[in-house]
Amino acid sequence: QVQLVESGGGLVQSGGSLRLSCVGSGFTFGNTRMSWVRQAPGKGLEWVSSITGAGSSYSYGESVAGRFTISRDNAKNTLYLQMDRLKPEDTAKYYCTLGWKVTNLTVRGQGTQVTVTS
């Protein structure tokens, strides 16, 4: 079955950086478009970024464009999200999932918490 394991979250000050990772298994990782989504406390899911299977195309939500970078290493079945110039409003639980510009979590891991202090 599909398994996704996110890691790399933590507590960081505003302006800092974090790199999230997501290891996928149970599906053909390199052929699968992947996304990061996040959910802040008391709010709905927000799509963050997506990348194609080959990693040649990607897209970002308006709130993170220019600050976050999505990438992948298909040899390691791993998806990444480099987050720079973090803001308190980036505080959320971050999930990786399958698909392009996903706004639901039919397939999800346990998520990784990112907390940005001002």
Side-chain angles (χ1 to χ4, degrees), residues 3-71:
Q3 286 193 324
L4 300 167
V5 179
E6 301 95 338
S7 63
L11 179 67
V12 64
Q13 287 188 331
S14 182
S17 298
L18 284 173
R19 187 196 198 201
L20 307 185
S21 299
C22 167
V23 179
S25 62
F27 62 102
T28 307
F29 186 86
N31 289 348
T32 304
R33 296 183 296 185
M34 300 289 294
S35 291
W36 287 98
V37 297
R38 67 186 182 184
Q39 187 164 29
K43 297 188 177 181
L45 285 172
E46 178 187 7
W47 168 73
V48 174
S49 183
S50 297
I51 189 168
T52 56
S56 55
S57 295
Y58 31 81
S59 185
Y60 297 96
E62 282 189 15
S63 62
V64 306
R67 299 186 298 119
F68 290 11
T69 304
I70 193 171
S71 62

Side-chain angles (χ1 to χ4, degrees), residues 49-114:
S49 183
S50 297
I51 189 168
T52 56
S56 55
S57 295
Y58 31 81
S59 185
Y60 297 96
E62 282 189 15
S63 62
V64 306
R67 299 186 298 119
F68 290 11
T69 304
I70 193 171
S71 62
R72 64 192 299 159
D73 184 340
N74 288 341
K76 296 181 179 179
N77 278 17
T78 303
L79 175 72
Y80 301 101
L81 186 69
Q82 176 68 40
M83 306 187 295
D84 299 316
R85 303 198 305 278
L86 282 160
K87 304 176 182 179
E89 50 264 45
D90 294 318
T91 294
K93 198 159 193 178
Y94 285 71
Y95 300 90
C96 66
T97 190
L98 282 66
W100 183 261
K101 292 189 176 181
V102 175
T103 56
N104 60 74
L105 282 177
T106 54
V107 178
R108 53 176 277 184
Q110 83 288 353
T112 187
Q113 178 67 39
V114 172

